[in-house]
Structure formats: structure tokens, C-alpha cells
Amino acid sequence: MQKVYIFDLDGTLVDSMPTGVGIVLGFLDEKGIPYPDDIVTALTPLGYKGSAKYIADHLADDFTVESVYEYFKEQTLRAYGETIPLKAHVKETLETLKSQGYRLNVLTASPQLLTDICMKRLQVYDLFENVWSIEAFGMTKAEEGIYLEAAKRLGVEPNQCIMADDNLNVLKTAKRVGMATVGVYDASSKDVESEMRRIADKYVVDFAELII
């Protein structure tokens, strides 16, 4: 039985996707930069730094990666520190899972600074064995290697891990390395909900549905 959870943060544990999506699209709209319809799905696994690089490299070559990232950082610091809430039933579900003997971990594309500030404010940080940003791996969540390395650091095989995420691409990638997957509903990914239900081993609309 798999007893090691790896949770995404944004759109999975916290209701931050409207903020993150608004910041990214706000930058593109403000600067008059055109973008494809699937931009949110493409950028979410990359984190803010990866998104800044993608935008600078592919959508707005007159901006540097640093300038785009600074815009994102300034806009998000206040939101993560003051306003972003937990999604419904997250804290009590995590407490129950922990009491049932599950090892709880976070792997997020958000910067470590923002992640720590947000989770400590919401009083869930201490429930986790590890709280990892992709910064700690030098990889994005679009790469298979990050899941293999996370399992290695946890001292388990990938097939002993359960990856819970609201992003379709993350579920596909984690599944390719042998992890079990839980798709978590978020409004930002509702357009691909049917495919997430097909790909994931379990799909939950309410976080409390994780309790067996």
C-alpha cells in the first residue's frame, strides 16, 4: 500500500490559481503580448522562474527573464503572505492522513520563499515531512527526473508514492515514472477534467474525498 503522499501546492492545497493565473496573464495583457489558449496548462508546471523564461524565450523576446520574474515576484509576495486561502477541508484531511500513518510532502513549482510564507501563515507547514520547491531540484515538474529524485530523497521507490496535483501534465509525467496519481479539481483545469479523470488513479472534487 502506498503511504507516501507528494502534494502540489497551488490549486491543490491552496486556492491560489486565480491569483497566479491573473498575475501571468496580467503581465502578458499589460504588455500586449499574444499567447495561445493553453498557456495556463503549459506554464503551471514550470513555476514562476520557468514561466518567466518561457515568456522571455518564446513570447516576448524584448523582455529578459529577470525582468519578467521580478514582476511576478513583486505581485505574488503580498498575495502568498496575506490573502491566499487553503482549499476546503484541506487542513483536517491532512491531519487525518497523517494520523493514519501517511508521510506527507509538498512539491511545488512556486518559489520556496512564497511557499514557506503561505504554508506557515495557514498553519499547515508542520504537517509535512518535506516542503520542496522545484528550486531544490533544478528541474521543473514537466521533467520525469524530478519525481525520480523526490522518491530517492524520500528513500522509497516511485511506485510507493502518490502524486496529488491539479495539473494534467504533472499527472501524466508522474505516472510515467510509476507513481500513483490523484487528480484534484481546480477551476483552472476544469477544461481538461475528463482527461484528468481518465489519467489519474483517483480524482477528487473535494479534498475530503482523499480519506479512505
Side-chain angles (χ1 to χ4, degrees):
M1 179 180 179
Q2 291 121 334
K3 300 288 283 188
V4 183
Y5 264 107
I6 304 174
F7 292 98
D8 172 50
L9 177 68
D10 300 285
T12 299
L13 299 179
V14 300
D15 192 15
S16 59
M17 293 304 289
T19 298
V21 170
I23 289 170
V24 172
L25 298 187
F27 173 83
L28 295 170
D29 291 338
E30 179 183 316
K31 306 302 182 185
I33 301 167
Y35 50 87
D37 292 339
D38 64 349
I39 190 67
V40 174
T41 300
L43 294 184
T44 298
L46 305 183
Y48 283 111
K49 284 186 177 178
S51 295
K53 186 177 189 314
Y54 182 96
I55 289 170
D57 288 351
H58 300 288
L59 300 177
D61 55 13
D62 50 340
F63 287 89
T64 65
V65 176
E66 292 75 18
S67 65
V68 179
Y69 181 62
E70 281 302 313
Y71 176 96
F72 291 163
K73 189 165 66 173
E74 291 172 7
Q75 296 292 320
T76 56
L77 185 57
R78 178 173 293 179
Y80 279 80
E82 299 178 8
T83 61
I84 288 172
L86 285 171
K87 297 183 82 171
H89 305 129
V90 164
K91 187 174 183 180
E92 53 266 48
T93 299
L94 292 173
E95 290 172 340
T96 299
L97 290 172
K98 193 173 181 70
S99 73
Q100 292 176 340
Y102 285 91
R103 296 170 62 187
L104 309 182
N105 304 272
V106 168
L107 176 61
T108 176
S110 287
Q112 194 74 54
L113 172 64
L114 298 182
T115 298
D116 292 353
I117 287 173
C118 186
M119 293 182 64
K120 288 176 181 178
R121 173 177 61 82
L122 295 170
Q123 300 181 341
V124 293
Y125 184 91
D126 291 337
L127 293 172
F128 294 93
E129 182 178 333
N130 298 283
V131 176
W132 288 317
S133 166
I134 60 174
E135 296 169 342
F137 294 84
M139 291 179 273
T140 74
K141 289 171 73 177
E143 299 174 71
E144 293 180 7
I146 197 169
Y147 305 100
L148 296 172
E149 179 62 23
K152 181 180 178 181
R153 294 186 188 189
L154 289 165
V156 298
E157 295 298 319
N159 63 10
Q160 294 176 275
C161 299
I162 308 166
M163 184 71 213
D165 206 294
D166 65 301
N167 184 271
L168 174 62
N169 291 339
V170 168
L171 298 178
K172 287 180 176 179
T173 308
K175 203 169 182 67
R176 282 199 299 270
V177 304
M179 290 187 176
T181 55
V182 174
V184 180
Y185 173 81
D186 190 76
S188 67
S189 57
K190 63 183 179 182
D191 291 345
V192 292
E193 180 179 345
S194 60
E195 190 172 0
M196 289 179 69
R197 286 182 179 275
R198 182 179 64 82
I199 291 293
D201 297 293
K202 183 181 179 69
Y203 187 87
V204 300
V205 175
D206 187 302
F207 210 75
E209 295 171 48
L210 286 178
I211 302 300
I212 299 172

